Amino acid sequence: METITLFVLEATSEKPIHALEAIITATGGVERALVDTSDGEVKITFDEKQVTPEQLMETLRQHGFHIV
């Protein structure tokens, strides 16, 4: 398992955080996602054999999230 940390602009309020978590955890190979609501920090633990960091970031972008 590998872990990446992203900062997502919208991940500071409840509704976008729930949507973000649902999208990430529905992605194959993702074990868990932890969101820090104070600064939008998102830690994603995933199986690098099933999904790449680039694929995770692109999935979030396709759903309207902005990675900073």
Side-chain angles (χ1 to χ4, degrees):
M1 289 291 162
E2 187 174 324
T3 300
I4 61 167
T5 301
L6 306 173
F7 288 88
V8 180
L9 187 63
E10 296 82 6
T12 56
S13 60
E14 187 175 343
K15 189 174 180 178
I17 289 171
H18 287 296
L20 175 75
E21 289 174 336
I23 292 164
I24 293 171
T25 56
T27 303
V30 173
E31 182 177 300
R32 69 180 177 165
L34 300 172
V35 180
D36 182 342
T37 58
S38 65
D39 62 2
E41 178 184 51
V42 182
K43 290 188 179 187
I44 305 170
T45 302
F46 62 99
D47 182 348
E48 62 277 5
K49 294 176 183 168
Q50 294 184 32
V51 65
T52 67
E54 292 78 17
Q55 289 171 319
L56 291 169
M57 289 186 284
E58 185 57 30
T59 297
L60 292 176
R61 287 186 191 107
Q62 288 175 355
H63 285 88
F65 290 98
H66 298 91
I67 299 167
V68 291

